[in-house]
Amino acid sequence: MPESFISWMFLFKTIAKIATCLELRSAALQSTQSQDEFKLEDLKKLEPILKNILTYNKEFPFDVQPVPLRKILAPGEEEHLEFEEDDEEGGAGAGSPDSFPARVPGANEGTLLPRLPSEPGMTLLTINIEKIGLKDAGQCIDPYITVSVKDLNGIDLTPVQDTPVALRKEDTYVHFNVDIEIQKHVEKLTKGAAIFFEFKHYKPKKRFTSTKCFAFMEMDEIKPGAIVIELYKKPTDFKRKKLQLLTKKPLYLHLHQTLHKE
């Protein structure tokens, strides 16, 4: 085997291990536990490797394995890919294990944000995502929901948040039971805004995380208490102009809203 090929392979493996260390550091920053963390001091040990990446030929300082490549597609990018039979009408039934193991370090953590400080006369909204109904709920790998607030043109009004990976599946439901703190006072949301919920899961055969379906809640639906909202086919239509229901079956996204006002 040519020496140049071996050198390139070594370089690729080194880069992949560096990526793993960055994933571990990211997970440590999001974790509430202090044990087995990848510390900042550990990360600094990678500096000489990065400075000499093309000539580095020593043993890697950490015993890590490269993370498997996982691609997260941009909104609409999936349209150009060959769809798997995962739509509600054509998907297979449930039957996979109850647990959802994370496939990337830190994948369980999500990117949830804390509640904003209260302001006199202003209302904050907490949305508890209870569960989502899907015919093939048991087949979804590493499922989570991306929550965003968009204006009529599909522009973000608040930071986008990802839930942690789902807690469990039960029959035709994927259970989350997680609180989302909307990062803007209700009174400050623009007219026509909507809160979007994109259900995402990992496709091991294609090695990317895909949006399976989405739902949204408009401003006149912001009321305390339970609410169920319909599910729509991907790709996510943030402008709400070409909506197609995911299924005719009575399967919905189940939410519970809490309003906080001083």
Side-chain angles (χ1 to χ4, degrees), residues 106-234:
N108 279 330
E109 303 296 333
T111 57
L112 300 183
L113 298 169
R115 188 181 306 167
L116 293 176
S118 59
E119 292 184 18
M122 292 291 179
T123 307
L124 290 170
L125 172 62
T126 301
I127 300 177
N128 179 266
I129 300 177
E130 296 179 351
K131 60 185 178 181
I132 185 171
L134 296 166
K135 180 180 177 181
D136 57 349
Q139 292 188 328
C140 296
I141 300 174
D142 293 356
Y144 66 95
I145 292 178
T146 296
V147 181
S148 57
V149 184
K150 309 278 188 179
D151 67 9
L152 281 171
N153 295 314
I155 305 300
D156 284 315
L157 299 176
T158 68
V160 177
Q161 303 182 65
D162 290 332
T163 72
V165 167
L167 296 174
R168 70 185 192 281
K169 65 95 176 175
E170 187 176 79
D171 299 325
T172 55
Y173 289 101
V174 179
H175 291 260
F176 288 90
N177 191 27
V178 62
D179 286 341
I180 306 293
E181 303 292 348
I182 300 303
Q183 298 295 298
K184 203 161 196 174
H185 294 87
V186 175
E187 291 82 1
K188 296 180 181 179
L189 293 174
T190 58
K191 184 178 180 180
I195 303 171
F196 282 82
F197 306 85
E198 298 174 89
F199 180 86
K200 300 180 179 181
H201 65 127
Y202 181 59
K203 293 185 174 181
K205 289 183 180 179
K206 295 191 175 181
R207 297 169 72 102
F208 64 72
T209 295
S210 169
T211 300
K212 182 175 180 65
C213 60
F214 72 98
F216 63 88
M217 191 177 73
E218 297 182 314
M219 294 300 98
D220 60 358
E221 296 177 287
I222 297 180
K223 300 172 184 177
I227 182 175
V228 293
I229 53 179
E230 294 177 315
L231 305 175
Y232 295 94
K233 290 183 179 180
K234 62 183 179 181

Side-chain angles (χ1 to χ4, degrees), residues 73-81 83 198 211 234-238:
L73 300 180
E77 190 177 351
E78 310 170 346
E79 284 185 274
H80 308 294
L81 299 175
F83 283 76
E198 298 174 89
T211 300
K234 62 183 179 181
T236 308
D237 181 9
F238 292 120

